[in-house]
């Protein structure tokens, strides 16, 4: 299976459990890998046969910007559900980075994989 990826996708959202986090938008950074068979797209040179990463990124940006989850775990799983269900992706790996969430750590976040390659 081939992998189509989006790296360093920065989106502002409401995320967190503390009162101030419920009022202040924070940036999450997403790295997304998606399994997709690109063989027909490579043969035909036609976008109709591939995973349109622009469409995926626009959908994820819209979803995350309007979300307001308490936990990064919930947000990450819901992003995976959107990608798998709406774009017919059999496997996805998402790294969500909530930079600066912990003093002294430059990166904090979660990595999940859903589906089968």
């Amino acid at each position: 299976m081939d992998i189509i990826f989006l790296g360093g996708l920065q989106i502002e959202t409401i995320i967190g459990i503390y009162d101030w986090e419920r009022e202040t938008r924070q940036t999450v950074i997403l790295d997304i890998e998606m399994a997709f068979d690109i063989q027909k797209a490579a043969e035909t040179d036609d976008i109709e046969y591939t995973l349109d990463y622009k469409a995926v990124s626009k959908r994820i940006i819209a979803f995350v910007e309007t979300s307001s989850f308490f936990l990064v775990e919930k947000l990450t799983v819901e992003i995976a559900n959107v990608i798998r269900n709406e774009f017919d992706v059999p496997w996805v790996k998402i790294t969500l980075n909530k930079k600066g969430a912990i003093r002294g750590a430059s990166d904090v976040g979660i990595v999940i994989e859903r589906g089968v390659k």
Side-chain angles (χ1 to χ4, degrees):
M1 187 60 66
D2 306 303
I3 303 293
I4 295 175
F5 70 92
L6 297 168
L9 186 60
Q10 297 185 34
I11 310 168
E12 289 191 3
T13 190
I14 298 294
I15 187 76
I17 60 172
Y18 300 110
D19 290 342
W20 71 267
E21 291 179 304
R22 307 309 303 159
E23 298 173 5
T24 304
R25 297 179 78 73
Q26 298 179 72
T27 301
V28 294
I29 303 167
L30 301 171
D31 293 320
I32 303 171
E33 296 180 24
M34 300 163 285
F36 201 85
D37 184 353
I38 66 161
Q39 185 63 39
K40 190 163 186 179
E43 290 171 358
T44 62
D45 201 22
D46 188 337
I47 193 169
E48 177 182 340
Y49 299 109
T50 193
L51 178 62
D52 183 347
Y53 50 80
K54 182 177 181 180
V56 173
S57 66
K58 288 176 78 170
R59 177 64 177 107
I60 295 308
I61 289 167
F63 177 78
V64 174
E65 283 181 338
T66 59
S67 71
S68 61
F69 296 108
F70 290 98
L71 300 177
V72 294
E73 291 85 348
K74 176 70 170 173
L75 174 58
T76 309
V77 167
E78 292 302 324
I79 294 168
N81 290 339
V82 167
I83 293 169
R84 293 190 66 223
N85 295 330
E86 294 183 21
F87 294 94
D88 198 25
V89 170
W91 173 88
V92 64
K93 177 180 178 181
I94 301 172
T95 302
L96 184 146
N97 187 340
K98 188 177 171 188
K99 280 193 166 296
I102 301 294
R103 186 182 335 167
S106 63
D107 299 303
V108 175
I110 188 167
V111 178
I112 69 164
E113 292 185 39
R114 293 293 182 271
V116 180
K117 270 191 198 176

